[in-house]
Amino acid sequence: MKNKLLIGLFAFFSVLNFTACDTEPIDPNIIVPDPVDPVEDGTFTAKIDGVQYTALTAEAFISGGAITIAAVRANGDNFAFVIGGNTAGTYAANQNILMFTQGQSESGWQSINPANPGENTGSVTISEVNTTNHTITGTFHFTGYWNGDGTIEPKEFTEGEFTVPYSDPSVNPNENTFTATIDGSPFNPTTINAQEASNGGISIISITALDQNGTMSVMLSSDVTVGNHPIATGTVITDDVQVMYLTVGGSGGPAVSGNVNITQKTADHVKGTFTATIETASGNIQVTQGNFDVTY
């Protein structure tokens, strides 16, 4: 299935972060006015410090007992939520992931106060998971704290409302395969999701796999061709490929070297192998014997 927005949160952040050639400094006092474009998929609105935000595209994904919601407007400003449940109810903001990122920034405002993680920062309420229409409806409000370098004031996100379509791989299981070895141990995911996403005029195929220890993503330019593609610059925009890995504890990131070898590719299917070296504060993560065969 081809979607306009990445559903897996990890993949969603990856596309947003790597579509920019340069990361521009953020003026925290500026909120770019809403575009006039109509919402194409779902509805998602909120106020950011009192200024209206209306998403151009918003979608959701249910997997492993969690709901992921992603919303983006034309200038790239985006919300990304990971909610630790898949039923109607109210979920504390500081016990889940609610995040807002402006345009091309790699950092943003999160629903956890790093100086006081126990602070009640707000909530998100899922009022309905409609299994007939495959939509999720809810509301939210939270105080967001800057998670990047420097000191930037918190933002207030209020009057949040959404009704977004969702996909659930357990409803229509496929025959996608994805395996790898991480530092000599097998990575055997329980969930594999392949999507084609467009953002800012750039189209990317994202293959995301999750196991109990973390999330791995192989990113491919939609124009990538059969053959071997080295990971050299750290961006899918210039290399046509990228591999990322993030542990459940938050360690990891994009590969600094490696390669992706595309062995088969059609309009909706891609197969290949990969290796990657990922730098972390505690040392490198070596990904070897990577294989994928997916329909997107």
Side-chain angles (χ1 to χ4, degrees):
M1 178 184 295
K2 295 186 178 181
N3 289 330
K4 295 180 180 178
L5 191 65
L6 290 181
I7 303 302
L9 178 66
F10 184 77
F12 175 73
F13 277 134
S14 302
V15 169
L16 293 178
N17 289 345
F18 285 98
T19 53
C21 295
D22 298 293
T23 299
E24 300 292 337
I26 290 179
D27 182 345
N29 297 314
I30 294 177
I31 299 291
V32 179
D34 281 320
V36 296
D37 313 60
V39 173
E40 297 176 354
D41 296 291
T43 60
F44 189 106
T45 61
K47 287 187 177 179
I48 305 173
D49 289 337
V51 179
Q52 185 67 31
Y53 173 100
T54 301
L56 175 65
T57 304
E59 296 182 88
F61 181 63
I62 296 178
S63 178
I67 294 173
T68 299
I69 299 173
V72 63
R73 63 179 174 185
N75 68 348
D77 291 355
N78 64 88
F79 283 88
F81 296 171
V82 176
I83 302 165
N86 58 12
T87 59
T90 297
Y91 300 85
N94 67 343
Q95 296 176 14
N96 295 273
I97 299 174
L98 311 181
M99 188 164 179
F100 172 76
T101 305
Q102 279 184 337
Q104 299 176 349
S105 175
E106 295 182 5
S107 301
W109 288 262
Q110 63 185 11
S111 58
I112 299 173
N113 182 353
N116 181 16
E119 177 186 336
N120 179 5
T121 57
S123 63
V124 55
T125 296
I126 302 297
S127 55
E128 181 185 37
V129 178
N130 189 316
T131 57
T132 301
N133 296 326
H134 275 240
T135 57
I136 298 173
T137 299
T139 60
F140 67 91
H141 67 92
F142 69 97
T143 301
Y145 292 87
W146 180 247
N147 69 353
D149 295 333
T151 301
I152 295 181
E153 290 297 311
K155 287 187 178 295
E156 294 296 330
F157 302 93
T158 58
E159 300 181 34
E161 298 182 356
F162 55 85
T163 296
V164 296
Y166 75 87
S167 59
D168 183 346
S170 65
V171 174
N172 296 299
N174 53 45
E175 297 181 357
N176 289 344
T177 61
F178 190 110
T179 59
T181 299
I182 301 175
D183 289 337
S185 298
F187 176 81
N188 294 311
T190 55
T191 299
I192 304 167
N193 185 47
Q195 310 276 343
E196 185 171 33
S198 296
N199 184 47
I202 297 169
S203 185
I204 294 176
I205 300 166
S206 176
I207 307 160
T208 305
L210 298 84
D211 75 354
Q212 69 273 19
N213 297 316
T215 303
M216 189 176 297
S217 182
V218 176
M219 317 289 294
L220 310 171
S221 167
S222 292
D223 297 328
V224 71
T225 57
V226 170
N228 190 59
H229 301 269
I231 298 170
T233 67
T235 166
V236 68
I237 303 305
T238 54
D239 291 344
D240 284 335
V241 298
Q242 178 55 265
V243 176
M244 305 184 74
Y245 179 68
L246 190 69
T247 69
V248 292
S251 178
V256 295
S257 63
N259 69 83
V260 178
N261 185 31
I262 305 299
T263 56
Q264 296 179 24
K265 184 173 183 287
T266 66
D268 60 0
H269 170 257
V270 64
K271 180 179 181 180
T273 62
F274 63 94
T275 63
T277 298
I278 296 165
E279 291 183 346
T280 72
S282 58
N284 290 347
I285 297 173
Q286 298 294 338
V287 179
T288 58
Q289 301 178 19
N291 291 272
F292 57 86
D293 187 348
V294 299
T295 299
Y296 57 90

